[in-house]
Amino acid sequence: MRNIRHVNLADQQGRVYCCLRNRVVDLDDAQKERFCSSCIMYAGDAQGLGVECEWEDARAVEDPHTVTDPQEEWRSNQVKQIPNDSLAASFIIDWD
């Protein structure tokens, strides 16, 4: 996987998707101080419009990946893909 820069623009309610917390959060001073300021994924303030984060993303997204809907971004990150060549794919039960 490769690191992708995620430009999380705040929605009308001032919320963004936070990968660290795996939830949609209010991008307020408390969030910035408690989480963003010490997060290894933090990569900037999106020119005051949100927050930029950089992390390994298994999804097929552009780099940078601009997020305008934090709820949709959360939903999209709940789906985990299992590669076809994984160990789990090698277990096939023949019921015959």
Side-chain angles (χ1 to χ4, degrees):
M1 279 186 284
R2 61 191 175 111
N3 275 350
I4 302 292
R5 181 173 291 260
H6 298 78
V7 181
N8 297 292
L9 302 177
D11 67 8
Q12 291 181 339
Q13 291 77 35
R15 299 173 306 175
V16 296
Y17 170 71
C18 176
C19 180
L20 176 70
R21 299 175 69 192
N22 191 30
R23 67 177 61 181
V24 175
V25 299
D26 292 326
L27 188 60
D28 55 16
D29 289 339
Q31 168 70 21
K32 292 175 186 177
E33 290 172 19
R34 287 188 67 204
F35 298 99
C36 297
S37 67
S38 60
C39 182
I40 63 171
M41 294 178 272
Y42 179 76
D45 71 353
Q47 298 179 345
L49 301 174
V51 65
E52 294 180 48
C53 307
E54 191 168 300
W55 45 275
E56 289 184 352
D57 196 333
R59 300 171 300 163
V61 295
E62 296 291 322
D63 186 13
H65 174 58
T66 301
V67 177
T68 58
D69 183 341
Q71 287 291 343
E72 179 55 36
E73 183 70 356
W74 175 83
R75 277 189 293 279
S76 177
N77 276 286
Q78 303 316 297
V79 177
K80 303 300 179 202
Q81 304 236 345
I82 299 172
N84 288 337
D85 62 346
S86 74
L87 181 61
S90 67
F91 290 102
I92 300 173
I93 299 173
D94 184 1
W95 294 101
D96 293 333

